[in-house]
Amino acid sequence: MAAVAASPIASDVPHASARIRALNLKTVVLVLAGLAIVLGLAWRLTRYFLRFPIWGDEAFICLNLPGNTFLGLSGELRFAQVAPILYLWSELIAYDWLGSSEIALRLSSLLAGIGGLGLFAMLARRVLDPRAALLSVAILAVSYTPVRHACEIKPYAFDLFFTVALLLPAVAWLQERRLRWLAWLTLVTPLALLSSYPAVFVSGAISVALLLSIWKTPGWAVKWWFMALNVMMLLAFFGHYLLVGRQQMSPQDLHVESFLQGYWKDWLPEWDLPSIVKWLVASHTGRMFGYPIGDANGASAAIFLLFLYGGWTLWRSGRKQLLALLTLPFLLSMAAAILHKYPYGGSGRLAQHLAPSICLLLAAGLVAIIEKLRPVLQQRTLACVYVALAAIAVAGTTRDVRKPYKSEMVIWYWNLLEELKAKASPDDSVVFVNDPNDLDVTLQWYVPQIPNFAHRPVATDPAYPKAAKRYWRVHFTFVPTAFPEPAPPGRSLFLEDRRAVPLDNPTESPLIMILQGWTRQ
């Protein structure tokens, strides 16, 4: 019996069993990681096909499209909008070729969002070890800000896509020293700078980070390609700024620039030490670092600390050029904010060019801490992390399905239009009677697209549609007295309804909608 107890085979059984459990747990972790990424993609597609009604910020872009041209979009835009020219052209092409639906106009953002995630996975494999790389992809996949902007008519998904499209060949060059990567970078750079304003911070960071390695590499071909890269960067940036950006800022009276300076004043610090310190703390512990979740007022502080620790792990491992590549865009963005040229820290949407670096260094820091645990605990901890990430994607998707709209005001306007479409027959006429600037931009966008619906200012002697069977008119006012136009001749009132509009920013006096229906006498 003693001999049996001392048998090597018997003594190896517990160790073999432990290895099997560890292998099974590793498989579970990989499955959970894949599930989180798939759920993140599913969240994007679900949100896209839910067709949220176009809301204020999106409508500002959309209302610049009807009747416009490629050249016209290079000038000053309505509603103080500032957007890169290639993004605007992509929206105009979608509008002209595919129509005015939410599906059509959000398509370019969706493709950029999904494409950016795919390129990021390739970048993460080059930057981090497999465990940290997989985690960084899962974090980006389920983070709300990139999910949201992959499904909105705004250029922020382009910022993320072209940031990764720039970083990927730059990292590949550092690792392989092949000319093809510099050639790719040189060709992508002008496209990036014409498609994304903050891409210039990434491009500038790449130029600085690669300078030393380019100089040390023998041969003139590399140096010529690097010079071409910088020439293309400067030409694209200054050309885009002078021909498009400057025009969008209204150079005649600078009212657009003044508006934006006021709108983002909290994230454009003053030139004094207390203001700069307060701004730096708020920026790095707020929404800009909300990956996978976070908020203002220090709610993202733990994410920032993990980000710093991830940077330290890269520094300690000797990958200083790679660390410079990932962190210099932050420094250039901060410099632009101090010069009051581009806001930094107040919103994740304006910092999508920093999202790849945040997710990479966050994952590196988190994995470095997890790897201090015992092997079995490492796998269990990672499994818990991936379960949490998957839960974020499920919760976000569920919330969007239950609330497929931006705000109560937007869905109120949408439901009003749907109600009027149901009430009005094809022979009826529906008119929204308000001055152009008094009607919400959501209505300004949708009303002209609905057959027999129109929008015009208040008139003392309006032209009434004679052929219409019934005549519906809608007016929004803060002074709910009588309708501001006389009764249409030859018609009798059969319906009048007054409702309060649930404004996103309530005013002292409620906004009232007056709806009237008139039929022939």
Side-chain angles (χ1 to χ4, degrees):
M1 294 295 293
V4 172
S7 169
I9 297 177
S11 63
D12 283 346
V13 169
H15 299 289
S17 177
R19 285 196 295 270
I20 292 171
R21 288 198 301 271
L23 181 62
N24 290 338
L25 193 52
K26 185 177 181 179
T27 303
V28 169
V29 168
L30 291 175
V31 170
L32 290 174
L35 178 64
I37 294 170
V38 169
L39 288 173
L41 288 169
W43 186 6
R44 286 165 173 79
L45 293 172
T46 300
R47 190 178 177 97
Y48 175 73
F49 286 109
L50 281 173
R51 300 181 63 175
F52 281 37
I54 290 172
W55 65 286
D57 279 8
E58 292 183 296
F60 290 153
I61 293 288
C62 293
L63 287 167
N64 282 282
L65 301 177
N68 217 328
T69 63
F70 291 120
L71 182 61
L73 288 174
S74 66
E76 183 179 347
L77 302 177
R78 298 175 63 191
F79 308 107
Q81 292 300 288
V82 176
I85 192 64
L86 289 187
Y87 169 76
L88 292 173
W89 287 357
S90 74
E91 289 299 328
L92 184 60
I93 290 172
Y95 178 78
D96 288 342
W97 293 4
L98 303 177
S100 60
S101 70
E102 300 86 359
I103 291 290
L105 295 178
R106 290 177 179 143
L107 179 60
S108 61
S109 292
L110 179 72
L111 295 177
I114 294 177
L117 184 61
L119 286 179
F120 179 77
M122 298 168 63
L123 174 65
R125 289 181 61 188
R126 287 186 170 272
V127 173
L128 303 174
D129 65 81
R131 180 182 281 182
L134 189 60
L135 178 58
S136 68
V137 177
I139 290 172
L140 184 65
V142 304
S143 295
Y144 171 71
T145 303
V147 170
R148 168 187 166 182
H149 295 303
C151 307
E152 280 196 343
I153 309 168
K154 297 294 285 186
Y156 307 122
F158 275 46
D159 296 342
L160 175 61
F161 176 85
F162 281 102
T163 291
V164 184
L166 290 170
L167 287 175
L168 182 56
V171 170
W173 158 256
L174 286 176
Q175 294 174 339
E176 300 178 12
R177 299 294 202 272
R178 293 185 180 180
L179 278 179
R180 67 176 184 179
W181 296 117
L182 279 183
W184 177 4
L185 191 55
T186 304
L187 295 175
V188 168
T189 292
L191 289 176
L193 269 60
L194 295 176
S195 303
S196 165
Y197 280 129
V200 69
F201 304 131
V202 182
S203 184
I206 290 171
S207 180
V208 174
L210 296 189
L211 179 60
L212 184 60
S213 64
I214 294 291
W215 182 259
K216 290 182 177 180
T217 302
W220 278 99
V222 170
K223 296 174 177 61
W224 280 114
W225 271 110
F226 187 66
M227 290 173 61
L229 165 64
N230 283 276
V231 169
M232 295 298 286
M233 176 179 68
L234 293 174
L235 287 176
F237 173 71
F238 285 108
H240 193 208
Y241 172 73
L242 293 174
L243 298 177
V244 179
R246 182 175 169 79
Q247 307 310 312
Q248 292 178 353
M249 286 295 184
S250 181
Q252 293 79 18
D253 57 11
L254 298 178
H255 73 272
V256 174
E257 183 174 359
S258 299
F259 166 76
L260 294 176
Q261 291 273 346
Y263 186 81
W264 293 109
K265 60 184 176 61
D266 292 338
W267 307 103
L268 301 168
E270 298 299 326
W271 282 73
D272 63 86
L273 186 59
S275 296
I276 290 178
V277 171
K278 180 181 177 181
W279 161 69
L280 287 174
V281 172
S283 297
H284 296 101
T285 61
R287 291 176 180 148
M288 187 175 76
F289 271 81
Y291 295 88
I293 56 175
D295 207 342
N297 303 316
S300 302
I303 303 299
F304 180 59
L305 292 176
L306 288 170
F307 166 85
L308 291 178
Y309 190 68
W312 166 246
T313 62
L314 260 65
W315 177 275
R316 189 176 55 187
S317 64
R319 293 179 286 176
K320 295 181 177 62
Q321 275 189 296
L322 181 58
L323 181 61
L325 201 60
L326 297 178
T327 54
L328 278 174
F330 290 84
L331 298 179
L332 294 179
S333 299
M334 284 188 274
I338 292 173
L339 295 173
H340 287 202
K341 297 301 181 181
Y342 192 87
Y344 178 88
S347 169
R349 70 177 187 267
L350 292 179
Q352 285 299 281
H353 63 294
L354 303 177
S357 295
I358 293 173
C359 292
L360 288 169
L361 295 181
L362 164 62
L366 184 56
V367 167
I369 292 174
I370 291 174
E371 286 180 344
K372 296 181 183 296
L373 304 174
R374 291 187 294 112
V376 174
L377 287 180
Q378 290 180 25
Q379 298 297 337
R380 290 176 180 174
T381 303
L382 281 171
C384 292
V385 170
Y386 284 121
V387 167
L389 293 176
I392 291 172
V394 171
T397 306
T398 303
R399 178 196 59 197
D400 288 345
V401 170
R402 297 182 61 183
K403 184 187 173 183
Y405 51 87
K406 173 65 176 177
S407 69
E408 296 297 330
M409 181 182 75
V410 171
I411 195 62
W412 192 94
Y413 285 133
W414 175 265
N415 288 335
L416 172 66
L417 294 173
E418 292 298 307
E419 177 186 345
L420 288 174
K421 284 192 288 185
K423 285 182 176 180
S425 68
D427 298 326
D428 293 354
S429 176
V430 180
V431 178
F432 286 76
V433 183
N434 274 94
D435 291 332
N437 293 331
D438 292 340
L439 198 65
D440 185 83
V441 289
T442 297
L443 292 177
Q444 288 185 45
W445 170 247
Y446 279 115
V447 166
Q449 302 176 35
I450 303 174
N452 301 324
F453 279 45
H455 167 224
R456 61 169 175 78
V458 176
T460 55
D461 186 21
Y464 297 104
K466 296 180 180 180
K469 181 179 180 181
R470 292 184 299 179
Y471 174 65
W472 303 82
R473 62 186 185 182
V474 183
H475 179 67
F476 293 88
T477 178
F478 288 102
V479 185
T481 55
F483 205 94
E485 290 184 349
R491 294 182 180 270
S492 58
L493 182 69
F494 72 89
L495 181 147
E496 180 168 282
D497 190 9
R498 297 180 179 226
R499 306 174 193 173
V501 180
L503 296 175
D504 290 342
N505 300 303
T507 55
E508 184 175 344
S509 300
L511 178 63
I512 302 298
M513 180 215 67
I514 304 175
L515 167 65
Q516 290 184 339
W518 298 81
T519 187
R520 291 175 180 172
Q521 292 180 345

